[in-house]
Each structure stands twice: as structure tokens, then as C-alpha cells.
Amino acid sequence: MGHLTRLAVGLTLLISAVSVHAGTAEIKSPDGKLKVIFTDSPMLGYSLAYDGTVLMQNCPIGLTIRTADGQLTELGKNVVLPESSQTLVDETITPVVPEKKRIIQDQYTTVTFPVNSSFSLICRVYNDGFAYRIQTKLPGEVEVVAEQIAFAFSEDYPIFFPQEDSFYTHQERSYINKPLSQLTKGAFCSIPAVVDIPGGPKIALTESDVIDYPGCYLQAQGTTTLKAIFPNYPLEERPQGDRDVRVVKRADYLAKTSGTRLYPWRVVIVAPTDADLVLNQTVYKLASDCTLEDTSWIRPGKVAWDWWNANNVYGVDFRAGVNTATYKYFIDFASQYGIEYIILDEGWYPLGNLLKTVPDIDMPELLRYAKQKNVGIILWTTWKTLDEQFEPAMELFSKWQVAGLKVDFMQRDDQKMVQYYEKVAAEAAKRHLLVDFHGAYKPDGLRRRYPNVITREGVQGNEHSKWSKNITPSHTVTLPFIRMVAGPMDFTPGAMRNFQPDQFNPVFNRPGVIGTRCRQLAMYVIYESPLQMLCDSPSNYLREPECMEFLKPVPTVWDDTRVMAAKIAKYLYMARKKGNEWYLGGMTNEDKRTAVFDLSFLDEGTYAMTLFQDGINADRFAEDYRKITKTVTKNDTLTIELASGGGFAARLVKQQ
């Protein structure tokens, strides 16, 4: 069986009954530092304290339901907290696709409050976070009219706020950083969002196990409180072309769903240090278990991507473009370097019809050639065309034995679209297809139930360098602390044309990026994506054999992850382990700096280290780098100079 397993490392213990006094109940994390105090009057809610300091208070919990007879029920109002049992759970999770660690420790205190016969509140308190969800037991189908969620902070803390313009969004945002009260009243953001408490922990707000329900956004109130808002159910949609479908009329409810169900987890991650944000796996731990019996076919890996580099191959005797000869060139490159996949992005089919290929693509020949070279093919599609031709298209992909799909341009997360993600994940799994969602909302746990959903976008990534200057060093060193907390992100690193900011201009068909060459290499260690793109042209990589010495072996899944130093939006130095090898990655913002850290995380013995670090002239020519080889042990300390917008990457191979 290849499905995800949970292995108990100790008995689940009933440790006490939760005392309820004057309408309050207190739950503590296993280490006692995080405390959640529930209250039931006048409305169900909670306050949260960490290490003796109250960080949030009087945060409401409620759900407004319309039953089949048209009656409104406000769950959470005028309730009484019952005495309940408190349980300590200490287990391990073995993920099918290990993003940070091969084995995840899952320890928390949990309580279920059966508030009444139709409404229960389930709570988990971890050492590094807190989550709750609502469970209902109501007959038939109901309409969820509203969910009452607010995060009321005790002081005016700064927040990293990925502000949105509307609910029609691919959630590719930059981060506004200002005090909560200074956010424009009514402005809202997608999640995760991170509150940065000076001298205290970081708090990331997000959600998990979102099933048959819309995604959550946070709206500024002009105070220190953030209120949750949701896209209501779409009643009328207006298609525009082969991909854009805008909602022009919405219902007066969020979701129409079963009256007996579990609702999504509302997640408050409490990270004592910046490094703990990067390491946090709460979203994954809260998600439902894997639904697949056989996962042996799910193969993480790297993929050579065509669209970003506009199929610009050169030094060849054929016309480059969306054609069979060009993709054979991609396949040859992938085969030479052991890259598991290539992708055929936009252009391989006549837009609007997945059942045909364009005249210049000989799909049977490409499939034959790729199989001969042991390279899988992933096909891009717009979500709308796939939805319109779903059954015949999926059967065709199965017949072709392609490796996976890149499904693009959904740009919504109302209930109807969330249902679509579930449908694609399940039907793709039946046909042994990987799925990479682009134009997508953030990860919310779907990848645990369907580990074939191997990565997704929902991030302002390298593609924006084709038309903007938004992908700055500060932005790219912020992402691991916020967006990556939710799960893997298909940022698409690997650019070989590198510039300092004053030299950079976006060029759509021959793109480059801001920041040094070594920064792009570092992204393969720092950014989690079990399906990791090589965004640049194979011709450019073939001109850079030294860089390919690193990009060829670097894994996309990991046995262990360590953070040596971290400061949100400033710098991050990491180490990851796969087998007997360790990989190092470091990034800085626009400030040059010196990284100093020891290698005490290594096992005993010696390691052959190949280090790529910014060259002495990388501050003026960002492609300048130094390659250094040396032998190191766990007793060594490294000192590495990073240029402005710079980085470093290293491979450490255990010696026999």
C-alpha cells in the first residue's frame, strides 16, 4: 500500500476533563506555552495567549445556516460550553510526497465540545499553532449563509497583507507590510497572511481541509481586527474566450451543502521564530488522510518548461517553436540530465479543443520518443476547455499515457470551483495523472487527500518577470515565510539571464530575472515544489554545464529540513537532506550580507561539498559566480558572502 499512513508513537491519552467555569474553558498546547481560552457568552469565541502574553482576544466563532424549511439558525449564539474530555495525541505521519520531512511529528491537545445535538466545536492546540472547525448534524441539505470569523489582535501589530482586488483572482500578490489599523478599511487579502509581533512570535492565518466550501479571505476593519469574508455561490457566469469565466451573479449564501458535515479548519499558526514559519506543516497535518489506495505511480521530479522561455532554442537546424522538432530537443535535454518530465504548455492544441493537436505537433511520435528516452510528458490545458470536454479529454490523456496535467486559469475559489479542483484531482488519480494547478488559489490540504496534486501556483512567481519588475529580492525572500506555509508553490525558478535591479527590464520573449545566478540555484533548495520547473531554455542550460552539475542531482522532495538563520523579507539560509546528501540554499534581499553558520546538522564523517556562491562582481554583473569544492565535516563553519539580491547553493555528498 502506498497511501499515507499515521503511525502512533505513543498511546492517545485522555489527559483530563476540561473544566468549564462561568462559561470559559482553557486548553493548552502539549508544552504549555500556547493557551486558548474559549468563552460562550454572548457568542462563542476564544482568546489566545502565548508564553503568558495575550495576542488575540474575543474572536467570534459562528455559522449561520438556512435549513430546508427556510429557517435561519445561528450556531454559536446563546450557547453553553459543556464539560468535555481533553486528549493528548502524539503520532507520526508518513507523507506520500515528503516536502520537508520524510516523517512528520504530529502532537497536539484536542477537545471536542458537543455544544448541542446539531453543533460541535473541534479544537486542536499544537506547540506551534491552534485550529478549530465546526461540525454540524442537521437533516438534509442546508445553505450556509455566513460564517463568523474574526481575528482580533490585542495590539496594533504589523502584518504582511497580500491584498486582492476582487474574488476573481489567481492569488499572485505582493505583500503590503504595515500596522493592522493602517490597512485601508474594507481592503481584503488572500491567505496566508502573517502578523509580525515585535519581540514575539509570528502569527500566520490560513485554513485547511477546505472541501465543498469556498475559500476564506481577510478584510481590514480599520482597527486591529481582521474579519473573514467569502465569495458567495455563483449563480450566473459569463465566459470570455477559452479560459476566463467571471461570476456576474451570486447567491445570498456561501455554500449549499450537506447538513451533516465537518467544516474547514480555521488555522492560527504561532511561530516563535521566523525559522519556525518556514518549517511549519500545520496545514498538511490538519488535512484529511490520503484517499488513494495505490500511490506507487506518483513520481516527483523536475520538468523542463517551454512557455517562459518562449521555446527559444538555438544552435539547431530546425525552426524553433511549438513543433515536434523543438519538443524532441526538450526531451533530449531532459534525458541527458535525468530530468523526469517536459511540459507542453499553451499552443499544443487549437485553443478550445483538447481533442486535436495543432498541425506542427505529431503527438504519437512525441509520446513514442519521450517513452524511449524515459521522459514523461505533462500537458497544459485551460480549466474551462477541460471542463467542457472532460470525459473524452481525460480518456484521451489516459490512452496517450501522459504523465500529468497543468490545469490553468481557474482564478476563483467559490464553492463551485473548489468542487472542480476535487473532481480534477480524483479523476486524474484514477488515470495515474499528476496535477499542477495554475491560475490557482493557495494550497489548503487537497494534496494530502490526493497526493497526485503535486504542486500548484497561487504565487507571484518568475513568470511575472516577463512583464514586470515585481519579482524583487525582497519579494522572493518573503515567499518562504508566508505563501510556502500553505504548501508547495510552483514559482518556476532556474533563470540563466540574471540582472541587478538597475539593469533589469522585462522582455516577454527573452526573459531574465532580478537577482544573481546563485539566487536562482538557491531556489531549488529553499522553494518547495515536488514538481519543480526549469524555466529557462534548454539551450541556455547547455551553455551552463557547471550550473547543471547542481541542477541535475538536486531533489524535489526531502527527508529532513533545517534552517540555520532566517528573517522574514530579509534573508534565509537552509539545509535539506535526501539520502546521504545535504543541500544548502541561501537568499538575501537587496542588502548584501555575510552568512556564517556551522554544519553541526551533518552526520559523522566527511562530505565533499560543491558550493556555488556570488562572484566578486555579482553586484554589477549578476551572472558572476564562484564554484568552490572542498571537504567538510559537522565541525566546520561556513562563511559565505552574498551580493545584493544574491544567494548561494551547495551540494554535500557523504564520503564512504
Side-chain angles (χ1 to χ4, degrees):
M1 301 284 286
H3 63 279
L4 180 148
T5 58
R6 299 173 63 91
L7 306 173
V9 297
L11 292 176
T12 299
L13 300 176
L14 179 65
I15 55 177
S16 69
V18 177
S19 297
V20 180
H21 300 290
T24 66
E26 182 179 298
I27 319 295
K28 290 185 178 180
S29 58
D31 66 4
K33 289 188 175 183
L34 189 61
K35 181 169 67 174
V36 183
I37 303 145
F38 289 97
T39 54
D40 60 15
S41 180
M43 183 172 182
L44 185 62
Y46 67 91
S47 298
L48 182 144
Y50 179 76
D51 215 11
T53 300
V54 175
L55 303 178
M56 302 165 66
Q57 51 194 348
N58 302 321
C59 303
I61 300 173
L63 201 64
T64 302
I65 297 286
R66 184 185 292 127
T67 51
D69 59 4
Q71 296 297 308
L72 289 179
T73 301
E74 295 190 36
L75 303 176
K77 274 193 174 181
N78 303 315
V79 299
V80 176
L81 278 173
E83 187 168 305
S84 301
S85 297
Q86 179 172 286
T87 304
L88 175 65
V89 176
D90 192 353
E91 299 178 326
T92 59
I93 303 170
T94 304
V96 172
V97 181
E99 297 148 9
K100 299 181 196 289
K101 292 180 180 287
R102 186 172 54 86
I103 296 175
I104 302 171
Q105 193 70 29
D106 194 21
Q107 184 187 64
Y108 55 90
T109 307
T110 184
V111 180
T112 297
F113 295 103
V115 178
N116 55 46
S117 60
S118 60
F119 170 42
S120 295
L121 178 68
I122 303 169
C123 164
R124 290 187 187 180
V125 184
Y126 294 85
N127 292 338
D128 58 357
F130 153 68
Y132 73 86
R133 76 189 316 177
I134 290 170
Q135 182 174 29
T136 57
K137 294 181 180 178
L138 294 164
E141 193 173 62
V142 300
E143 293 173 352
V144 181
V145 176
E147 183 174 356
Q148 289 76 41
I149 304 170
F151 301 104
F153 288 89
S154 57
E155 294 185 29
D156 195 11
Y157 302 124
I159 183 172
F160 288 89
F161 191 80
Q163 186 166 322
E164 296 286 353
D165 299 321
S166 75
F167 288 134
Y168 188 70
T169 172
H170 37 49
Q171 299 192 2
E172 299 172 14
R173 314 305 293 179
S174 299
Y175 296 95
I176 295 171
N177 184 211
K178 59 174 61 176
L180 286 159
S181 69
Q182 292 182 23
L183 296 170
T184 303
K185 186 176 181 180
F188 67 96
C189 73
S190 47
I191 53 178
V194 169
V195 175
D196 187 359
I197 298 175
K202 306 291 186 292
I203 294 184
L205 305 172
T206 191
E207 60 187 343
S208 184
D209 219 29
V210 180
I211 303 171
D212 192 32
Y213 202 75
C216 176
Y217 296 75
L218 300 178
Q219 185 181 59
Q221 304 299 298
T223 65
T224 62
T225 295
L226 297 168
K227 179 183 177 182
I229 59 173
F230 301 84
N232 281 16
Y233 189 83
L235 290 179
E236 186 179 336
E237 298 164 293
R238 182 171 297 160
Q240 297 175 339
D242 71 315
R243 61 196 67 182
D244 297 326
V245 180
R246 293 183 179 268
V247 177
V248 295
K249 184 179 180 181
R250 294 188 183 273
D252 65 349
Y253 55 83
L254 309 182
K256 184 174 287 188
T257 188
S258 172
T260 298
R261 63 162 293 172
L262 289 164
Y263 286 84
W265 287 103
R266 306 303 169 203
V267 183
V268 180
I269 291 166
V270 181
T273 69
D274 296 57
D276 293 320
L277 265 183
V278 178
L279 295 170
N280 192 279
Q281 297 193 82
T282 302
V283 171
Y284 189 91
K285 290 188 285 189
L286 289 167
S288 299
D289 279 338
C290 179
T291 65
L292 308 182
E293 289 296 314
D294 175 24
T295 59
S296 60
W297 55 273
I298 297 174
R299 184 171 68 140
K302 296 187 287 289
V303 51
W305 185 29
D306 56 344
W307 182 85
W308 191 81
N309 58 76
N311 294 82
N312 279 329
V313 302
Y314 51 87
V316 296
D317 58 2
F318 56 85
R319 180 70 173 172
V322 180
N323 57 49
T324 303
T326 299
Y327 286 116
K328 282 189 172 183
Y329 183 88
F330 272 77
I331 291 167
D332 287 341
F333 163 71
S335 178
Q336 178 179 341
Y337 282 104
I339 295 166
E340 289 83 356
Y341 304 102
I342 71 160
I343 190 165
L344 274 62
D345 212 292
E346 183 167 5
W348 71 268
Y349 68 89
L351 292 179
N353 189 356
L354 281 166
L355 307 181
K356 291 185 177 181
T357 57
V358 295
D360 288 341
I361 294 288
D362 184 342
M363 188 63 76
E365 173 59 16
L366 277 181
L367 294 166
R368 180 202 66 78
Y369 193 74
K371 184 176 182 180
Q372 174 189 324
K373 297 277 189 171
N374 196 31
V375 174
I377 290 180
I378 294 172
L379 298 177
W380 174 91
T381 172
T382 65
W383 80 274
K384 179 176 175 285
T385 302
L386 178 62
D387 194 39
E388 291 169 343
Q389 299 182 315
F390 198 83
E391 286 301 326
M394 294 296 275
E395 288 307 306
L396 180 62
F397 300 150
S398 181
K399 176 184 175 183
W400 282 348
Q401 296 182 318
V402 296
L405 301 177
K406 177 180 174 181
V407 185
D408 206 349
F409 285 100
M410 289 75 69
Q411 302 177 99
R412 288 165 35 202
D413 59 351
D414 48 48
Q415 184 192 21
K416 186 175 180 181
M417 187 58 76
V418 170
Q419 291 168 339
Y420 177 79
Y421 278 59
E422 183 95 10
K423 172 185 172 182
V424 171
E427 293 300 319
K430 289 178 184 177
R431 297 164 175 83
H432 289 189
L433 295 170
L434 302 176
V435 179
D436 175 7
F437 285 119
H438 266 233
Y441 60 87
K442 85 284 173 189
D444 60 8
L446 179 64
R447 69 190 190 281
R448 182 171 174 186
R449 288 184 292 117
Y450 294 98
N452 60 310
V453 179
I454 198 162
T455 193
R456 72 170 74 186
E457 196 178 25
V459 62
Q460 188 172 228
N462 254 359
E463 71 173 12
H464 283 256
S465 296
K466 288 169 71 77
W467 58 78
S468 81
K469 296 184 178 183
N470 292 343
I471 309 305
T472 64
S474 289
H475 173 73
T476 51
V477 80
T478 300
L479 292 175
F481 299 91
I482 304 180
R483 165 58 182 81
M484 206 167 77
V485 173
M489 53 186 198
D490 193 11
F491 178 90
T492 68
M496 294 289 106
R497 299 184 70 240
N498 318 101
F499 301 91
Q500 288 295 345
D502 62 337
Q503 303 161 345
F504 176 77
N505 282 299
V507 179
F508 191 86
N509 284 325
R510 196 181 175 203
V513 296
I514 300 172
T516 70
R517 170 69 56 78
C518 289
R519 182 185 199 82
Q520 291 291 308
L521 298 183
M523 290 174 179
Y524 287 87
V525 179
I526 291 176
Y527 289 171
E528 289 158 10
S529 181
L531 186 69
Q532 190 73 276
M533 301 278 176
L534 278 74
C535 70
D536 219 322
S537 166
S539 300
N540 287 345
Y541 292 124
L542 291 169
R543 290 181 60 183
E544 301 286 350
E546 281 194 340
C547 291
M548 291 308 300
E549 289 177 20
F550 180 82
L551 292 178
K552 176 181 178 179
V554 66
T556 65
V557 292
W558 306 97
D559 296 337
D560 196 8
T561 297
R562 308 290 179 92
V563 175
M564 289 86 75
K567 183 65 176 174
I568 189 169
K570 303 291 186 184
Y571 57 86
L572 177 58
Y573 314 142
M574 295 181 67
R576 297 194 194 259
K577 186 181 185 183
K578 179 67 174 175
N580 287 324
E581 297 185 357
W582 283 88
Y583 288 79
L584 310 179
M587 297 166 61
T588 182
N589 60 1
E590 286 78 5
D591 298 328
K592 65 179 182 180
R593 62 184 84 238
T594 302
V596 181
F597 55 89
D598 64 58
L599 301 177
S600 57
F601 53 83
L602 295 177
D603 298 326
E604 294 290 345
T606 60
Y607 288 78
M609 181 180 75
T610 304
L611 170 67
F612 295 82
Q613 69 177 75
D614 295 328
I616 194 169
N617 292 306
D619 61 334
R620 55 192 295 177
F621 183 69
E623 293 172 14
D624 187 32
Y625 69 88
R626 293 177 63 203
K627 174 188 168 187
I628 299 169
T629 57
K630 61 188 295 187
T631 299
V632 296
T633 72
K634 66 184 301 180
N635 300 316
D636 286 320
T637 295
L638 296 183
T639 300
I640 304 172
E641 300 295 330
L642 286 79
S644 170
F648 64 83
R651 180 188 184 197
L652 286 73
V653 180
K654 184 77 175 289
Q655 302 299 286
Q656 297 298 326

